[in-house]
């Protein structure tokens, strides 16, 4: 039987979701906790990898077992084993594949606009209030659609193609907060952070919008990757 978990985590102290040789990943913690509960080895499959320090509100994960699982007992027991910064929100039987059945993923990058550090906004990146938001929004309109995002791919990516479809890319200001939302059918390694970095560079006037427009999907190569600390996986649609 295949079970689908919805997992929420603060990834600031972890090396990302996906297992690595050096350990300290969300997948390691999940598999260890579920192993203790089921008393068997299991393999967790996430909807995708997340970079070190990236967090998730709702990360779908599936695993398989021959055992029938009572959901309330599972959630109560496994969440008690998991560290405080990782929790399973729900468990259901499924035929979906957490990764390959995914159709859309939405990320949020949190920022705030101020000349000084605001003590209650440690979960967001401080940016200048003098950015050219008009140019930043024009850049976001350029990336919506199906394009080759080779220039936004970090080294180490093992994907067969760098073509992706972006359905939405927008900035929403809420008081001092400035949240960037992006929805796509999938993302390359560090692609979202590279888009944010490029957007901020344009806003600062360090990168011409015309320059980016001419080379964006041909010879452009992002050289400004935004920090992972303020990036959140919001949801995955199937």
């Amino acid at each position: 039987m295949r079970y689908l978990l919805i997992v929420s985590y603060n990834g600031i102290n972890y090396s990302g979701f996906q297992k690595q040789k050096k350990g300290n990943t969300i997948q390691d913690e999940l598999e260890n906790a579920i192993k203790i509960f089921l008393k068997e080895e299991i393999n967790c499959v996430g909807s995708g990898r997340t970079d070190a320090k990236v967090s998730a509100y709702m990360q779908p994960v599936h695993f398989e077992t021959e055992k029938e699982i009572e959901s309330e007992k599972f959630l109560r027991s496994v969440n008690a084993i998991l560290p405080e910064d990782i929790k399973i929100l729900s468990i259901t039987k499924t035929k979906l594949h957490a990764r390959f059945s995914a159709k859309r993923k939405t990320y949020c990058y949190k920022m705030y606009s101020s000349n000084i550090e605001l003590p209650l906004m440690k979960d967001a990146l401080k940016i200048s209030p003098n950015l050219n938001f008009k140019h930043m929004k024009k850049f976001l309109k350029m990336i919506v659609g199906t394009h080759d995002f080779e220039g936004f791919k970090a080294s180490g990516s093992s994907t067969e193609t760098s073509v992706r479809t972006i359905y939405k890319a927008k900035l929403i200001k809420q008081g001092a907060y400035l949240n960037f939302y992006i929805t796509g059918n999938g993302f390359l390694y560090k692609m979202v952070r590279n888009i944010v970095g490029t957007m901020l560079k344009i806003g600062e006037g360090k990168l011409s919008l015309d320059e980016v427009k001419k080379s964006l999907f041909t010879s452009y190569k992002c050289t400004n990757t935004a920090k992972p600390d303020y990036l959140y996986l919001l949801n995955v649609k199937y």
Side-chain angles (χ1 to χ4, degrees), residues 40-97:
E40 65 176 87
E41 296 286 343
I42 62 102
N43 177 52
C44 286
V45 178
S47 62
R49 62 183 295 171
T50 53
D51 299 342
K53 297 188 176 183
V54 173
S55 302
Y57 283 94
M58 297 176 67
Q59 164 81 293
V61 178
H62 84 247
F63 70 91
E64 295 179 350
T65 178
E66 293 182 356
K67 295 180 179 178
E68 186 77 32
I69 293 177
E70 196 277 302
S71 60
E72 289 188 12
K73 182 179 179 181
F74 175 90
L75 291 173
R76 184 173 61 253
S77 301
V78 177
N79 279 332
I81 299 168
L82 285 167
E84 291 183 356
D85 48 11
I86 305 173
K87 294 302 171 189
I88 300 171
L89 306 182
S90 66
I91 177 172
T92 54
K93 285 184 180 179
T94 187
K95 292 183 179 179
L96 296 172
H97 189 285

Side-chain angles (χ1 to χ4, degrees), residues 10-215:
N10 183 338
I12 198 70
N13 295 316
Y14 296 91
S15 300
F17 176 84
Q18 191 168 307
K19 258 186 186 177
Q20 301 176 30
K21 289 183 179 179
K22 60 183 179 181
N24 190 39
T25 68
I26 306 299
Q27 185 178 1
D28 287 320
E29 295 290 348
L30 284 173
E31 290 181 353
N32 178 64
I34 298 171
K35 173 185 174 181
I36 292 172
F37 176 75
L38 292 179
K39 297 181 174 57
E40 65 176 87
E41 296 286 343
I42 62 102
N43 177 52
C44 286
V45 178
S47 62
R49 62 183 295 171
T50 53
D51 299 342
K53 297 188 176 183
V54 173
S55 302
Y57 283 94
M58 297 176 67
Q59 164 81 293
V61 178
H62 84 247
F63 70 91
E64 295 179 350
T65 178
E66 293 182 356
K67 295 180 179 178
E68 186 77 32
I69 293 177
E70 196 277 302
S71 60
E72 289 188 12
K73 182 179 179 181
F74 175 90
L75 291 173
R76 184 173 61 253
S77 301
V78 177
N79 279 332
I81 299 168
L82 285 167
E84 291 183 356
D85 48 11
I86 305 173
K87 294 302 171 189
I88 300 171
L89 306 182
S90 66
I91 177 172
T92 54
K93 285 184 180 179
T94 187
K95 292 183 179 179
L96 296 172
H97 189 285
R99 180 183 175 189
F100 297 129
S101 299
K103 300 298 182 185
R104 295 185 178 214
K105 299 178 182 180
T106 299
Y107 281 88
C108 174
Y109 196 92
K110 294 186 177 183
M111 299 166 280
Y112 70 93
S113 182
S114 175
N115 282 321
I116 60 175
E117 297 278 352
L118 299 182
L120 296 180
M121 293 192 178
K122 294 298 184 182
D123 65 337
L125 175 71
K126 182 176 77 67
I127 59 175
S128 168
N130 302 317
L131 295 177
N132 190 326
F133 294 110
K134 184 177 179 181
H135 282 186
M136 292 164 67
K137 289 179 178 180
K138 283 185 177 180
F139 163 68
L140 296 182
K141 287 183 179 179
M142 288 165 50
I143 67 172
V144 173
T146 301
H147 306 286
D148 187 341
F149 287 93
E150 177 69 28
F152 294 92
K153 180 177 71 174
S155 59
S157 178
S158 58
T159 55
E160 294 181 1
T161 176
S162 51
V163 174
R164 296 291 185 274
T165 298
I166 301 300
Y167 302 111
K168 293 180 182 178
K170 59 184 178 180
L171 283 169
I172 295 181
K173 188 170 177 58
Q174 297 172 311
Y177 264 119
L178 185 72
N179 291 337
F180 167 61
Y181 296 94
I182 186 166
T183 300
N185 64 349
F187 297 96
L188 303 166
Y189 182 40
K190 296 185 180 179
M191 176 176 159
V192 176
R193 291 166 55 198
N194 285 337
I195 287 174
V196 173
T198 299
M199 176 182 68
L200 292 176
K201 214 170 180 182
I202 290 170
E204 293 166 358
K206 295 178 180 178
L207 188 61
S208 161
L209 192 61
D210 289 337
E211 179 187 351
V212 176
K213 190 173 183 179
K214 289 178 182 177
S215 61

